Amino acid sequence: MGSLFRETLRSELDFQDIKVKELAIKTGISQRTLEGYLGARGSIPPADVAVKIAQVLNVSVEYLVTGDSEQNSKNKAFAGGCLADAISMLPMGKKQLLKEFLVVLQKFDVAPKPQVE
């Protein structure tokens, strides 16, 4: 079970482009402790620690422990059709890429632009 938590946490950190040091700062959990959860032995943290990690990553504890993507709140936001929620969950770097993409895409748009008052 510990290796599944380790794999899911590592995958989520990679997906959100968050470094362990950044997660440590945001959760108040030491970097060394977090690296222990991500290490070869990959222990599962106590419930209160898992909750802090899940809250910062905006996923459920169940998702971190089981790896069940149905529990992943990002997947629920996409499946529910709430694009704004899905975008708000993106890390800052990916939001910037999305913004740049939309600017480029807008250049190819031939439809009249709505007037912003």
Side-chain angles (χ1 to χ4, degrees), residues 30-85:
S30 77
Q31 185 173 345
R32 185 177 184 148
T33 298
L34 291 171
E35 288 169 349
Y37 301 138
L38 293 164
R41 294 179 54 169
S43 61
I44 296 179
D48 61 324
V49 174
V51 167
K52 286 180 186 180
I53 294 169
Q55 286 174 335
V56 167
L57 296 176
N58 202 23
V59 298
S60 70
V61 174
E62 185 176 355
Y63 165 69
L64 288 175
V65 174
T66 67
D68 182 359
S69 63
E70 289 298 314
Q71 297 303 319
N72 185 337
S73 61
K74 281 192 298 300
N75 288 346
K76 287 182 178 180
F78 281 114
C82 188
L83 185 58
D85 286 350

Side-chain angles (χ1 to χ4, degrees), residues 1 4-5 9 16 21-22 25 34 42 45 49 58-59 63 71-72 97 99 102 106:
M1 194 65 122
L4 187 54
F5 180 88
L9 179 57
Q16 294 191 31
K21 182 176 182 178
E22 184 181 350
I25 292 167
L34 291 171
V49 174
N58 202 23
V59 298
Y63 165 69
Q71 297 303 319
N72 185 337
L97 285 173
K99 182 179 176 182
L102 292 173
Q106 202 170 28

